[in-house]
Amino acid sequence: MWTKQGLIYKPDGSQAFSRTHAQVPFGYPMADKLRVYFSTRDENIASAVSFVELNPNNLSEVTYIHNKPCLTKGAVGMFDETGTMPSWFLPVDDEIWLYYTGWNKSETASYRLGIGLAISRDGGLTFQRKYDGPLLDRSIYDQVWAAQPCVIREGDRWRMWYLSCTKIEVINGHPEPFYDVKYAESTDGIKWERTGQVCVGYDEFTDAIGRPTVYKDGNLYKMYFSYRNATNYRTDVQRSYRIGYAESSDGITWERKDERAGIERSAEGWDSLMMDYCHIFPHRDQWVMLYNGNGFGASGFGYATQPTTY
């Protein structure tokens, strides 16, 4: 079971690049602090990457709020021309690699997404695109878009679990995306091989899955994610995002065990309508789950804790 520790941070709207949202939080432990990267939005709803820093001895205490974006939207016509959303950060030698989601608008489907790579050489203060184009985009396996990857290095093997949008359905006059979790591998973290392998798919309720977070607990791979229905999920708590869970012995074939997620939406408050976009990492003697609540991150991010099992 997870123990909720409460809300940590929500933008106060005083910065032009960060009027609203602290979406898809990612915890990045550093020497004497815990940095949390997230996606935030300006007055035009364009997303950018920024961060806050927390007291490592008390994760409820924000010690620093960065006053500028680390990565902003791309040039006109690029896959990230309307926004950048962080997904996964990896230390690679003396660099930090950021796998991010690029946004661009679509007249018929609202938006289209792709997966990009940006690299920091100044300790994560700024990130520069490795390429102007995406590493992963729509393909024969990902018909509409690809987004929000989790990336793990195991020796010379790079492993990715990512969101794959397979179709759009117009529901109540609005185009709604359907997306599951698929798998890819690489030998260098840049060129990825896809086979269409589904790790967590659709069922009678699940029409969309939020960013997966995968980690190893002993010899077991664990994946937490958020999932929702496609109908009225923005306002109906019975259909909105909640936290799901799956297990695997090899990271490829997964057994879904949502009843063991160990955390639910609150009866009231900032995470009562939704829980989504979690990231899980070890900190001191416990696992920490950062997650968003209501409004897809508009209400900020908070955290929950669980003792480590080893």
Side-chain angles (χ1 to χ4, degrees), residues 81-127:
E81 70 172 347
T82 57
T84 59
M85 176 178 285
S87 186
W88 213 261
F89 296 77
L90 276 182
V92 180
D93 299 325
D94 59 349
E95 302 173 337
I96 300 175
W97 286 24
L98 163 57
Y99 291 89
Y100 71 95
T101 298
W103 290 72
N104 59 92
K105 294 180 180 179
S106 167
E107 291 185 3
T108 56
S110 296
Y111 60 85
R112 179 181 169 188
L113 310 176
I115 296 173
L117 174 63
I119 294 176
S120 175
R121 298 178 179 86
D122 59 6
L125 296 178
T126 62
F127 289 82

Side-chain angles (χ1 to χ4, degrees), residues 17-84:
F17 78 95
S18 182
R19 297 300 190 196
T20 66
H21 289 71
Q23 198 172 4
V24 292
F26 186 98
Y28 196 88
M30 306 184 87
D32 58 348
K33 58 198 170 189
L34 178 70
R35 182 174 290 174
V36 180
Y37 290 96
F38 55 86
S39 173
T40 192
R41 301 182 186 182
D42 64 16
E43 59 270 16
N44 298 315
I45 322 179
S47 57
V49 181
S50 194
F51 66 85
V52 297
E53 292 175 351
L54 311 180
N55 179 346
N57 300 312
N58 177 13
L59 300 186
S60 297
E61 179 186 349
V62 177
T63 59
Y64 173 76
I65 300 173
H66 202 45
N67 62 359
K68 60 187 70 173
C70 306
L71 182 68
T72 57
K73 63 184 180 181
V76 174
M78 297 299 177
F79 81 104
D80 54 0
E81 70 172 347
T82 57
T84 59

Side-chain angles (χ1 to χ4, degrees), residues 4-25:
K4 288 187 176 182
Q5 305 293 350
L7 179 68
I8 297 176
Y9 176 74
K10 174 186 175 181
D12 63 10
S14 62
Q15 302 187 90
F17 78 95
S18 182
R19 297 300 190 196
T20 66
H21 289 71
Q23 198 172 4
V24 292

Side-chain angles (χ1 to χ4, degrees), residues 162-280:
Y162 68 99
L163 304 186
S164 170
C165 185
T166 61
K167 65 177 179 176
I168 301 287
E169 289 188 5
V170 177
I171 301 175
N172 297 327
H174 193 278
E176 300 290 2
F178 287 64
Y179 43 97
D180 56 14
V181 177
K182 289 193 174 76
Y183 178 75
E185 282 195 7
S186 175
T187 58
D188 60 6
I190 296 174
K191 297 179 180 178
W192 292 89
E193 295 294 329
R194 292 176 273 185
T195 64
Q197 173 69 45
V198 176
C199 296
V200 180
Y202 308 122
D203 60 25
E204 55 276 2
F205 175 85
T206 305
D207 295 324
I209 300 172
R211 179 186 61 182
T213 178
V214 176
Y215 64 98
K216 287 193 76 173
D217 191 355
N219 293 320
L220 188 66
Y221 290 90
K222 296 183 176 182
M223 181 194 297
Y224 283 82
F225 49 90
S226 49
Y227 66 101
R228 62 167 175 77
N229 194 252
T231 304
N232 298 327
Y233 61 90
R234 296 173 182 85
T235 56
D236 185 348
V237 68
Q238 300 302 321
R239 296 177 177 273
S240 64
Y241 270 125
R242 73 284 314 272
I243 300 296
Y245 173 74
E247 294 179 349
S248 173
S249 60
D250 60 7
I252 298 175
T253 302
W254 293 81
E255 182 178 359
R256 192 163 169 177
K257 300 182 178 181
D258 293 338
E259 71 282 357
R260 297 186 60 184
I263 193 167
E264 296 181 357
R265 292 162 297 192
S266 299
E268 59 183 12
W270 74 279
D271 61 350
S272 58
L273 177 60
M274 300 179 186
M275 286 186 67
D276 38 27
Y277 314 136
C278 63
H279 175 232
I280 295 171

